[in-house]
Amino acid sequence: MTLNDKYAAERRIELAAKERATKAANLAANTVINHTTVRPIVRQSQDIGKWRTALVSAEQEHEQRSLLYDLYSEILLDGRLDALIQQRISRITNAKIKFSKDGMPVDEVNDLTKRAIFNAFLEEALQARFWGFSLLELYWPGPKQKDFNGATNLVPRKHVKPKRGVVTKNAWDIVGLPFREAPYTDYCIEVGKVDDLGILLKCCANVIYKRGGFGDWAEFAEVFGMPFRWATYSNEQSRGVLETALAQAGSAGYVVAPEDAHLEFHNPTAGSSSNDIFRFLIDACNQELSITVLGNSMTTQEAKHSGYAQSETQQDTQDELHKDDRAFVLRVLNEKLVPYLASLGYPVEGGCWEFHDEDGLSLPQRLTMDLQLGKIVPIAKHYWYEKYQLPMPADGEEADILEDSQPDPVPGAGKDKKGKEADQSKKA
């Protein structure tokens, strides 16, 4: 390499670095998040009174949602509630989704589904169902930008005033950047309804009561879970000795009283265990959380007094919620994300997003149906390898078909009335 060639190469690297720095500076100047002053979450003990106050504040004309969103952040520390929400979100993020045009997949667009920015978009879009509203900033790469990872940023919810259409610098402000006007409309996508406060609003009371139940239960265990010591004295000298001895003998509760004193514990839960009342309260709150988020309680905990038919009915209810989540995500992708991708230069005109397994069949059900269809119409061999993720035999590699191997039928599939009568006769 000559000296001129070396100089030219270094010059190209220098210009490329300056170009990236310029793009980053322009991006930072127009980023909505950089115009907000984010403050930490206010962590404090919550009660029903604070929940009502936060709700009234959020419903006011000025849309002060800070108190309510701080409360949401606090109740999300509940492990059960967080798991229930993740259960609904993961059923969408783990599903296969593709973009097709005229029945053919568009590889340039489908490559985005492999990136973290797309998964983050799906998660934040679904979070809007729980928080009520989400404003997202998208900085995604164009179809020819392979070295740019992009970003999906959630604008801090406290600073977003959906009804006014502005993002404020401070959470308590009412005037700010109009995100429904240019240039913010080029890369900002809003998800949810402007007056919706989300599913978490209905979960607050149950988590608050549940925490109170745990606190009372812990206090009950502290007082009555350890042996209680009762000591009496007849003179002041004995009293001092007893107090010193009991204080140094461990952390269990004790009382030093005169000999004529009387102590009695009244149990308000006559006929049941003393701590059952706390367990019943916590279980009731957990069931209400499951019903609020998933539409049922039997798919998340053991059902002791219900049958198979009831569990199937509640599973169907959860499946309907899942279908509703799918429809919600598809509306967001097709109505909000497609125009944004078109502005970046992706070939999305005339295409749409869809889920691969729209029928929702399980793998055993799919296999049974495919085997039955294979008796009617010919199915290409590569379908079996791709659908069931089987390794394709290499050229010249020995491969045998196990003639005697038959897949286990789906429970209840193919059983007619005679089969049921036969089962009943066997039981008899």
Side-chain angles (χ1 to χ4, degrees):
M1 178 182 293
T2 64
L3 184 61
N4 290 335
D5 292 338
K6 183 178 181 181
Y7 174 77
E10 293 176 351
R11 182 61 178 170
R12 286 194 297 270
I13 295 174
E14 182 181 355
L15 291 175
K18 288 183 178 180
E19 183 179 358
R20 288 194 296 270
T22 302
K23 289 182 178 179
N26 294 334
L27 184 65
N30 292 325
T31 300
V32 175
I33 295 179
N34 289 348
H35 291 82
T36 61
T37 303
V38 181
R39 301 184 184 277
I41 300 171
V42 178
R43 300 288 185 184
Q44 58 180 337
S45 60
Q46 302 290 345
D47 54 37
I48 297 299
K50 292 180 180 178
W51 171 52
R52 301 289 297 182
T53 301
L55 175 58
V56 172
S57 177
E59 292 178 335
Q60 294 294 327
E61 181 183 357
H62 297 315
E63 296 185 86
Q64 298 297 338
R65 301 188 179 188
S66 297
L67 293 176
L68 190 63
Y69 285 159
D70 283 338
L71 175 57
Y72 286 1
S73 300
E74 188 67 23
I75 68 170
L76 283 174
L77 295 177
D78 183 85
R80 186 181 186 87
L81 177 59
D82 181 68
L84 293 172
I85 293 174
Q86 291 304 317
Q87 184 175 344
R88 280 185 65 170
I89 293 178
S90 61
R91 291 197 66 179
I92 297 298
T93 56
N94 291 337
K96 295 181 180 179
I97 190 170
K98 68 176 181 179
F99 186 87
S100 58
K101 186 176 180 181
D102 298 328
M104 299 298 294
V106 182
D107 293 337
E108 287 179 306
V109 182
N110 287 324
D111 286 342
L112 291 172
T113 62
K114 304 174 184 177
R115 294 173 177 260
I117 52 175
F118 185 83
N119 191 73
F121 179 82
L122 291 181
E123 289 186 5
E124 294 300 343
L126 286 166
Q127 287 287 356
R129 310 211 78 177
F130 298 96
W131 291 78
F133 189 87
S134 294
L135 181 62
L136 304 176
E137 279 188 309
L138 305 186
Y139 298 104
W140 289 14
K144 298 181 180 179
Q145 294 176 269
K146 303 300 182 182
D147 59 336
F148 177 46
N149 292 325
T152 299
N153 298 327
L154 173 68
V155 180
R157 290 188 173 91
K158 292 182 183 180
H159 298 258
V160 181
K161 304 296 186 289
K163 294 181 181 178
R164 295 174 173 268
V166 297
V167 176
T168 60
K169 181 178 181 180
N170 299 298
W172 56 83
D173 293 339
I174 59 176
V175 179
L177 299 177
F179 60 81
R180 295 192 178 109
E181 299 179 6
Y184 310 110
T185 52
D186 295 338
Y187 50 86
C188 286
I189 292 180
E190 51 184 299
V191 184
K193 300 178 181 179
V194 297
D195 57 348
D196 188 11
L197 297 178
I199 299 175
L200 289 176
L201 177 65
K202 305 172 185 177
C203 299
C204 290
N206 294 312
V207 175
I208 291 173
Y209 284 130
K210 178 182 174 181
R211 285 188 178 181
F214 268 118
D216 294 339
W217 199 357
E219 185 176 357
F220 179 89
E222 182 179 359
V223 174
F224 300 105
M226 300 178 67
F228 190 81
R229 296 170 294 178
W230 174 267
T232 59
Y233 62 89
S234 58
N235 55 67
E236 289 299 322
Q237 183 178 3
S238 300
R239 175 184 178 182
V241 174
L242 285 173
E243 288 181 347
T244 302
L246 291 175
Q248 296 177 354
S251 58
Y254 65 90
V255 168
V256 178
E259 289 182 346
D260 57 349
H262 178 69
L263 176 65
E264 184 177 357
F265 293 101
H266 295 278
N267 186 3
T269 57
S272 63
S273 177
S274 300
N275 60 359
D276 279 349
I277 186 65
F278 305 109
R279 184 182 293 108
F280 292 155
L281 174 62
I282 293 171
D283 289 344
C285 291
N286 283 334
Q287 290 182 14
E288 289 298 318
L289 287 174
S290 299
I291 293 172
T292 303
V293 179
L294 298 181
N296 72 90
S297 60
M298 294 183 63
T299 59
T300 55
Q301 63 186 57
E302 181 183 1
K304 299 180 180 179
H305 304 289
S306 59
Y308 176 77
Q310 185 178 353
S311 63
E312 283 291 299
T313 301
Q314 296 204 24
Q315 180 63 53
D316 291 342
T317 303
Q318 182 173 335
D319 291 339
E320 290 300 317
L321 276 178
H322 175 53
K323 291 179 182 178
D324 186 61
D325 287 340
R326 285 191 168 203
F328 174 80
V329 168
L330 288 180
R331 287 195 298 269
V332 173
L333 292 175
N334 290 318
E335 297 176 7
K336 303 292 183 68
L337 186 61
V338 166
Y340 173 72
L341 295 178
S343 68
L344 296 178
Y346 285 95
V348 293
E349 185 177 357
C352 65
W353 292 95
E354 59 184 1
F355 285 95
H356 266 295
D357 52 343
E358 193 64 42
D359 50 21
L361 294 177
S362 64
L363 190 60
Q365 292 171 333
R366 168 64 66 181
L367 178 58
T368 301
M369 188 176 70
D370 286 343
L371 290 175
Q372 293 175 351
L373 287 175
K375 298 177 182 179
I376 304 174
V377 295
I379 301 178
K381 289 186 178 180
H382 68 83
Y383 168 82
W384 302 98
Y385 292 103
E386 294 176 1
K387 188 66 179 179
Y388 300 101
Q389 299 181 0
L390 299 173
M392 179 84 70
D395 294 339
E397 183 180 0
E398 294 184 2
D400 297 329
I401 298 179
L402 304 179
E403 299 290 347
D404 296 335
S405 298
Q406 297 294 334
D408 294 333
V410 179
K415 183 177 287 188
D416 55 10
K417 184 176 180 181
K418 294 181 179 180
K420 293 181 179 179
E421 292 176 353
D423 290 344
Q424 293 176 356
S425 63
K426 290 180 180 178
K427 293 180 180 178

